[in-house]
Amino acid sequence: MGSLMKTSDPRSALWSSTAAPPPETPPLRGDRRVDACVIGGGFTGLSAALHLAEAGVDTVLLEAEHPGFGASGRNHGQVVPGYSKHSPDEIVAKFGAERGEAMNRWVQESAALVFDLIRRHGIDCDAVQKGWLMPAHNAERLTVAREKHDQWAARGAPVEFLSRDQTVDLTGSTHYIGAWMHRGGGNIQPLSYTRGLARAAQKAGAAIHGASPALAIERSGGSWRVTTPGGTVTAEKVVLATNAYGGGLWPALAKSVVPVRLFQSATAPLSDNIARSILPQGHSISDSRRALWSFRKDAYGRLVVGAAPLFTIGIRRSVGRIVADHIREVFPQAGEVRLEHVWDGRIAVTTDRLPHLHDVAEGLYAGLGYSGRGIAMATGMGKLLAERVQDKPLAELPVPASPVRPLPLHALTIPLARLTIAWHRWQDRG
Ligand SMILES: Cc1cc2nc3c(=O)[nH]c(=O)nc-3n(C[C@H](O)[C@H](O)[C@H](O)COP(=O)(O)OP(=O)(O)OC[C@H]3O[C@@H](n4cnc5c(N)ncnc54)[C@H](O)[C@@H]3O)c2cc1C
């Protein structure tokens, strides 16, 4: 582990070493006037730019670093057709039958959209759509898994409830006592997917500028002027797609979510017979713990593990130890594993754990806060933002729009989130 790079350096993410080559995204030079300007080059922004360009809207995307620099290039790669916390019945209870069911359809369609875009644009990102599993490690969590399965099944979703033996067959682990599975889920190489979206958006006519941080957004006449170090973009409509990386650009938006640091690690490629015994059919799993663990393999037989550990002091040592212990517990056949990569990224968690869509001001829109489930939902949100830019009425969008609500005492929410994770880990024991 001694040679690992700093965890916050995106190059330490496994995906940087196995991704498809990046597209050319030269910095913005000079002043441009366009219909729409998208700020942020993750799934949200790139999907928005792609859908805008496909609709013939003249679009410029500005990215502070390079497409995929944020969570989109660092995540676990599980495409999940569901919310981070809620069951579909809870969504209906919260929003009513019509809006709630529209949102339930949207969250599943968003996962389908990911695989559809991959196919339609020939995106080379090791996509596997075999299904996504939520296995349970105890009886209480199995009841939760059963409820989620039953509620999605009642809506005709392609889900299955798996017995213990079926779960052992699909996971290669005797740690779990059952699972529910959504066949519409799967996994991808997330940085390659991001780069593929960027290429597709460029091909459709969008201009994508890397190394072009938006420094300020100002109203100028009936338009917005976005300033970057190398030039300006004047646009009638602007989309903010900066999620947990937005910093001071629009402070109220940044303060409306809690940025949480999540950790990932990947082993060295496993020997063929061990790799064949773990997730043998290529499924990905997020267990049903409150502080969840997730597992998948990459295209080269590495086991990729996601966790949200509490300790951030001496992180490489503590993540390495905690992850190796948990692998031993779940997949003892792996033996002593060597972690080749440890990295982190920031997600934006909302207090209601649902994605937020905002009309921030006239002609200024934002979508964020997927609370750790953003491959499908951010891709879907980008499409909605593109529709909103083209004046689709809010009432016709499946995700309800809300005012931007900065959280009081925002600085305290980060230590509070850590305490919550610690509390969840305590609840999860046994
Ligand atoms: C470690 C980890 C594991 C995860 N695992 C999963 C998973 O398995 N499945 C799943 O569904 N989701 C997962 N997620 C969540 C998912 O990755 C995110 O929800 C999703 O990537 C959010 O996409 P985004 O485009 O909204 O934001 P981001 O990808 O974070 O992109 C925001 C971009 O905005 C740019 N930016 C910020 N400020 C400016 C500015 N002023 N000017 C220009 N650009 C700017 C940033 O550089 C960044 O590239 C995970 C996240 C993390 C961190």
Side-chain angles (χ1 to χ4, degrees), residues 39-45 62-66 69-72 74-78 80 212-214 241-243 245-246 249 262-264 345-347 370 372-376 378:
I39 301 175
F43 304 139
T44 306
L62 300 171
E63 162 55 48
E65 301 282 344
H66 52 80
F69 172 82
S72 299
R74 305 169 188 235
N75 62 65
H76 195 72
Q78 294 196 12
V80 184
S212 301
T242 53
N243 209 38
Y245 288 81
L249 180 63
L262 287 191
F263 293 91
Q264 301 289 295
R346 286 201 300 275
I347 58 167
Y370 315 101
R373 289 279 162 85
I375 299 179

Side-chain angles (χ1 to χ4, degrees), residues 360-382:
V360 180
E362 198 190 336
L364 182 62
Y365 312 101
L368 76 172
Y370 315 101
S371 305
R373 289 279 162 85
I375 299 179
M377 283 196 276
T379 304
M381 179 66 83

Side-chain angles (χ1 to χ4, degrees), residues 36-124:
C37 175
V38 178
I39 301 175
F43 304 139
T44 306
L46 291 164
S47 167
L50 169 60
H51 286 99
L52 283 167
E54 281 184 332
V57 178
D58 189 15
T59 303
V60 162
L61 183 146
L62 300 171
E63 162 55 48
E65 301 282 344
H66 52 80
F69 172 82
S72 299
R74 305 169 188 235
N75 62 65
H76 195 72
Q78 294 196 12
V79 184
V80 184
Y83 309 97
S84 87
K85 175 167 174 268
H86 294 77
S87 68
D89 281 5
E90 287 168 337
I91 296 294
V92 168
K94 196 171 162 64
F95 297 107
E98 197 179 327
R99 182 46 85 74
E101 294 301 2
M103 202 160 157
N104 288 334
R105 278 192 299 278
W106 172 78
V107 77
Q108 293 193 79
E109 283 164 11
S110 294
L113 175 67
V114 170
F115 291 105
D116 180 49
L117 289 173
I118 290 169
R119 275 188 295 270
R120 201 145 51 83
H121 297 285
I123 298 176
D124 175 13

